[in-house]
Amino acid sequence: MPDLITCSLDQGLLTLTFNRPDKLNALNSAMYSALDRHLRAASEDPAVEVILLTGGTACFSAGNDLRDFLDTPPRDLDSPVFRMMRTVLTLDKPLLAAVNGPAIGIGCTLLVHCDQVLVSRSAKLRMPFAPLGVCPEFGSSLLLPRLLGHQRAARLLLANELLSGEQALAWGLANELHDDGEQCLAAAVALARRLQAMPQQALRISKRLLKDGQRRELEETVRREGELFIQCLASDEARAALQALV
């Protein structure tokens, strides 16, 4: 069986690629565990300077695997998905994302924690929590209103708005827009190399300073969202919404 997340280290740049193309890179418990493991190892490995997340040139991630939600939903805050979230929150090395095609649900909220997000014109960002009978996760209820303003955050988290790559750039969810997947990936690598040219200790300290002002509030929000998300998943309306889609 191929790795669900492939890992490639090239001269200090660690590229983590979601590798479940038959399921549009939908994330399941095994993938959360693998991503958590890779990020923890990268944090401690002096050979890793910058981390790049991608799903390849066709699809970033369709979000959480819906069948996984039904069969093995997270039961508590020690579930793989929540461990992965906590690892991302403490990561002090630059985290980049190259987004092509769908970035749905947690495949979208993950981007808010990246230091740079590059998208192609094929990108499609959506956070369909309310239609699935669940609530926002990964700190999105705190970070999105601050980043976008309340009304735009509500369009994403309440009204299930779908953003194109162009709209993601205009709204501030992405830093760069590229014509296709190959260009997007190449530009992400070029940006990573620019960051690698910086003094690495200063780079990590700078990232910590950027994050520290809201770290405690964000950790508490992620915890509270997680508790409510678990409750929502157990509800009749969530199970009905999920069953209708699997």
Side-chain angles (χ1 to χ4, degrees), residues 104-173:
I104 310 299
I106 196 168
C108 191
T109 56
L110 175 59
L111 302 180
V112 185
H113 298 274
C114 294
D115 301 296
Q116 295 287 286
V117 177
L118 291 76
V119 297
S120 70
R121 295 188 185 279
S122 70
K124 297 177 177 62
L125 281 64
R126 175 171 273 167
M127 303 180 192
F129 302 121
L132 294 177
V134 295
C135 66
E137 34 82 327
F138 214 167
S140 56
S141 65
L142 173 70
L143 295 178
L144 286 175
R146 291 183 177 179
L147 178 64
L148 308 177
H150 175 83
Q151 287 77 17
R152 283 181 168 177
R155 289 288 289 270
L156 291 172
L157 296 177
L158 303 183
N160 196 26
E161 186 88 353
L162 175 67
L163 296 186
S164 66
E166 292 90 340
Q167 289 170 308
L169 180 67
W171 281 30
L173 282 172

Side-chain angles (χ1 to χ4, degrees), residues 176-193:
E176 295 182 14
L177 175 68
H178 297 276
D179 286 336
D180 58 42
E182 294 290 350
Q183 290 183 20
C184 184
L185 283 171
V189 171
L191 179 55
R193 298 303 186 199

Side-chain angles (χ1 to χ4, degrees), residues 182-209:
E182 294 290 350
Q183 290 183 20
C184 184
L185 283 171
V189 171
L191 179 55
R193 298 303 186 199
R194 283 175 54 195
L195 293 172
Q196 287 181 267
M198 307 290 179
Q200 291 302 298
Q201 182 179 4
L203 196 68
R204 291 193 292 274
I205 290 173
S206 297
K207 172 168 177 171
R208 286 199 298 270
L209 290 170

Side-chain angles (χ1 to χ4, degrees), residues 183-241:
Q183 290 183 20
C184 184
L185 283 171
V189 171
L191 179 55
R193 298 303 186 199
R194 283 175 54 195
L195 293 172
Q196 287 181 267
M198 307 290 179
Q200 291 302 298
Q201 182 179 4
L203 196 68
R204 291 193 292 274
I205 290 173
S206 297
K207 172 168 177 171
R208 286 199 298 270
L209 290 170
L210 281 168
K211 300 283 188 176
D212 276 351
Q214 61 185 0
R215 185 180 303 278
R216 289 184 181 177
E217 187 179 10
L218 180 56
E219 289 172 348
E220 173 59 22
T221 299
V222 171
R223 182 196 64 78
R224 181 60 176 152
E225 288 175 343
E227 291 174 342
L228 293 171
F229 196 95
I230 290 169
Q231 292 178 27
C232 287
L233 269 181
S235 70
D236 291 340
E237 67 177 12
R239 295 194 66 81

Side-chain angles (χ1 to χ4, degrees), residues 9-10 34 36 48 56 59 70 82 84-85 96 112 125 143 146-147 167 178 187 200 208-209 213 223 241 245-246:
L9 179 61
D10 178 28
D36 179 53
V48 176
C59 177
L70 286 167
F82 297 118
M84 180 277 294
M85 290 180 186
L96 279 58
V112 185
L125 281 64
L143 295 178
R146 291 183 177 179
L147 178 64
Q167 289 170 308
H178 297 276
Q200 291 302 298
R208 286 199 298 270
L209 290 170
R223 182 196 64 78
L245 294 173
V246 297

